[in-house]
Amino acid sequence: MVIASFNINGVRGRLEVLLRWLETRRPDVVCLQELKAPQTAFPRAALEAAGYGSVWLGQKSWNGVAILARDAEPIVTLRGLPGEQEDAQSRYIEAAVNGVLIGCPYLPNGNPWPGPRFDYKMRWFERLSARARVLIDTGAPVVLAGDFNVIPTDEDVYSPERWTDDALFRIEAREAFARLCAQGWTDALRAVHPDEAPYTYWSYLRNRYARDHGLRIDHLLLSPDLARRLKRAEVDRNVRGWERTSDHAPVWIELADRAVRRRTKPASARAV
């Protein structure tokens, strides 16, 4: 089973990119973030023609999340996170696909720090952690796959000294991510690439993709039983080089049918 996450940065404007990648990679499940489309404008028909059922939570111009399933219809279990009734931002959707529960988060950026946007980011993180605790306590196979807008360690950014006061790299956000992982989640990319996990995002500015000045902010967190089935975790970096593409690249994992022999190092064991 291949499960992927892709911050598409505008699903209507980059639909051709998405369809091309789906045809190439053929993932079983895809979590999309930053749809930038209202609920009524999601390209469901085009995705159905490509073989993917979909559920989504849209928002005009901003945010938006979706879960796609190849030759299947995701069964929605939650739209939006509980805990802040006045929060109207579309940043979380959850669905069951082929026996696996998939949570798709799109965390707030939080800049500028300090300020109300960073405060909102941290409150949102607390709400996500509360939901994650509920999910992991069920013992069910669960994946949290999305754009967390957090750089977990110095190794996950091209020049850490330049990011000290950025909301993505603030110690508060990094510690929140570490506490989340400490619930028992495994950071799949870090587990497979313990020494040098690949970047997932490169800004459009200053030729940063060509210079590989990237960040790792898109993560797939696995519950314990799925962590034991983890075979591969990779980034389709070449997609970032396509024309009219997102500033993120798709990140994906492959799960075996049963436990595999692999030495993994949970993200919670790594220092921030």
Side-chain angles (χ1 to χ4, degrees):
M1 187 176 192
V2 174
I3 301 173
S5 178
F6 192 5
N7 180 320
I8 194 63
N9 192 14
V11 69
R12 291 178 293 176
R14 307 192 200 282
L15 181 58
E16 290 186 7
V17 169
L18 175 59
L19 294 174
R20 176 184 173 187
W21 172 72
L22 289 174
E23 183 178 6
T24 302
R25 175 56 58 195
R26 293 185 58 78
D28 298 291
V29 182
V30 182
C31 292
L32 298 177
Q33 306 86 43
E34 208 170 347
L35 303 179
K36 296 181 178 178
Q39 189 73 8
T40 56
F42 185 79
R44 178 177 183 172
L47 291 167
E48 283 185 346
Y52 284 84
S54 56
V55 293
W56 66 95
L57 184 62
Q59 183 177 344
K60 184 179 180 180
S61 302
W62 305 102
N63 306 320
V65 285
I67 297 174
L68 317 181
R70 184 159 61 90
D71 299 328
E73 291 294 331
I75 302 172
V76 175
T77 54
L78 189 64
R79 280 189 170 96
L81 283 176
E84 196 166 325
Q85 290 185 353
E86 65 275 19
D87 185 7
Q89 297 192 25
S90 299
R91 292 186 174 273
Y92 186 81
I93 193 167
E94 184 183 289
V97 181
N98 295 331
V100 177
L101 195 57
I102 309 292
C104 175
Y106 175 42
L107 275 81
N109 177 285
N111 279 302
W113 172 89
R117 292 184 179 180
F118 187 76
D119 296 340
Y120 171 64
K121 178 191 185 90
M122 297 310 297
R123 293 197 311 272
W124 207 96
F125 225 135
E126 291 176 2
R127 291 161 59 200
L128 176 63
S129 294
R131 180 59 183 172
R133 170 59 69 187
V134 170
L135 293 175
I136 205 164
D137 284 349
T138 67
V142 186
V143 179
L144 298 177
D147 178 356
F148 284 72
N149 266 320
V150 175
I151 305 167
T153 74
D154 288 6
E155 299 166 356
D156 297 312
V157 55
Y158 71 93
S159 185
E161 67 277 3
R162 299 183 181 182
W163 291 80
T164 305
D165 292 333
D166 191 283
L168 278 65
F169 199 51
R170 282 295 306 170
I171 187 65
E172 299 93 335
R174 297 162 71 192
E175 288 179 344
F177 185 82
R179 288 194 299 270
L180 172 62
C181 292
Q183 294 178 356
W185 302 95
T186 291
D187 177 344
L189 267 180
R190 179 60 67 191
V192 174
H193 304 275
D195 298 321
E196 191 173 358
Y199 297 143
T200 65
Y201 166 88
W202 298 260
S203 170
Y204 294 125
L205 302 174
R206 301 182 182 91
N207 204 29
R208 285 181 176 167
Y209 172 67
R211 298 161 67 191
D212 200 27
H213 285 183
L215 317 173
R216 190 172 75 93
I217 57 177
D218 303 272
H219 310 296
L220 289 97
L221 303 185
L222 311 183
S223 61
D225 55 338
L226 291 187
R228 290 188 287 270
R229 292 167 50 189
L230 179 61
K231 287 181 63 177
R232 299 179 65 190
E234 305 294 341
V235 175
D236 284 340
R237 186 186 187 281
N238 65 305
V239 175
R240 176 59 180 83
W242 292 356
E243 291 186 9
R244 299 181 59 81
T245 193
S246 173
D247 44 6
H248 295 248
V251 54
W252 56 272
I253 60 170
E254 182 181 355
L255 300 174
D257 293 335
R258 57 179 62 88
V260 297
R261 292 181 178 272
R262 173 182 294 281
R263 291 185 62 187
T264 62
K265 189 173 186 179
S268 55
R270 304 182 62 84
V272 299

